[in-house]
Amino acid sequence: STQRRLNFTEDLKRKWAPSINSSVLSWLQRDQDKPFFVFINYLDVHDPYVPPQPYLSRFKGVENPAQVSDYPIDDPHLTPEGLLKDIYSYDGAIAYLDDHIGQLLAEVRRLGLDDNLLIVFTSDHGEAFGEHGGIQHANSPYREEIHVPLIFWQPGQVPAGVRVSHPVTNVSLPATITDMLGTNEPTLFPGL
């Protein structure tokens, strides 16, 4: 049977990066004199990987990529070529989100809200593309699913270029952040 392809703007009911950025910036501009905490959860790099053009075909010129969600891992329609197209689409989604995060940070800087700003960038999981027989993410201990970025950025406070080689956990993020902000309060968060 032929499956209908997803339409980026009509079928997916998620809020995309430009809309999220607009909401965040609108909220930040309401009262620029108060300290703020913003948690942003972008879904643009979640399956199905369908960023708009030119990102969708940015890697290897893929015009109509297969989507892993269209086929189970044991389906004969999920060919190595189809899986490769999905990887290219995933890479395009990452590039799309990267550009939009950059736009958000540039606007925060333009508004003068970047003084004493701590940014923590991370992810809840990676994606598997058949490296160990799995697709997407599940309860796997494999590197492609559990090795995610964790970036702390605060000029003058966090040394640039430092890489930590030992594993850490996202569970410790709230306690680490409050410690970095110097609250000097006992924390109820796990991790410190």
Side-chain angles (χ1 to χ4, degrees):
S1 71
T2 303
Q3 294 186 7
R4 188 174 73 82
R5 301 296 302 166
L6 288 171
N7 181 300
F8 174 75
T9 56
E10 295 173 16
D11 293 340
L12 297 177
K13 303 301 182 203
R14 58 175 77 148
K15 193 169 184 180
W16 297 94
S19 179
I20 291 173
N21 286 358
S22 178
S23 295
V24 168
L25 291 168
S26 176
W27 179 77
L28 287 175
Q29 291 176 45
R30 285 189 207 148
D31 191 349
Q32 296 184 26
D33 296 328
K34 288 185 179 177
F36 61 89
F37 172 86
V38 179
F39 175 89
I40 303 172
N41 185 18
Y42 293 103
L43 295 175
D44 305 74
V45 185
H46 280 70
D47 178 60
Y49 319 114
V50 287
Q53 292 293 3
Y55 300 94
L56 184 61
S57 57
R58 181 173 182 175
F59 297 91
K60 297 292 185 185
V62 176
E63 291 297 331
N64 188 18
Q67 296 297 319
V68 167
S69 62
D70 290 347
Y71 309 109
I73 187 64
D74 58 352
D75 190 308
H77 293 100
L78 183 58
T79 63
E81 295 79 18
L83 188 59
L84 187 59
K85 287 181 178 183
D86 212 54
I87 292 169
Y88 295 148
S89 299
Y90 180 71
D91 291 345
I94 292 170
Y96 169 78
L97 183 56
D98 184 59
D99 284 353
H100 283 86
I101 290 171
Q103 291 169 21
L104 175 68
L105 295 177
E107 190 61 19
V108 166
R109 182 173 289 125
R110 189 192 69 74
L111 292 170
L113 298 174
D114 59 333
D115 291 339
N116 198 30
L117 180 65
L118 169 63
I119 295 175
V120 180
F121 179 85
T122 192
S123 178
D124 55 342
H125 59 78
E127 293 285 68
F129 290 99
E131 295 89 344
H132 295 95
I135 294 291
Q136 296 180 343
H137 56 275
N139 294 322
S140 160
Y142 293 113
R143 184 176 178 88
E144 60 268 15
E145 293 183 51
I146 64 171
H147 187 202
V148 298
L150 176 58
I151 301 168
F152 286 83
W153 181 86
Q154 188 179 29
Q157 300 296 319
V158 176
V162 173
R163 296 181 68 103
V164 176
S165 60
H166 62 275
V168 298
T169 175
N170 284 354
V171 170
S172 297
L173 284 177
T176 303
I177 291 168
T178 56
D179 186 55
M180 289 178 70
L181 295 176
T183 61
N184 296 324
E185 300 278 331
T187 181
L188 298 176
F189 297 120
L192 280 183

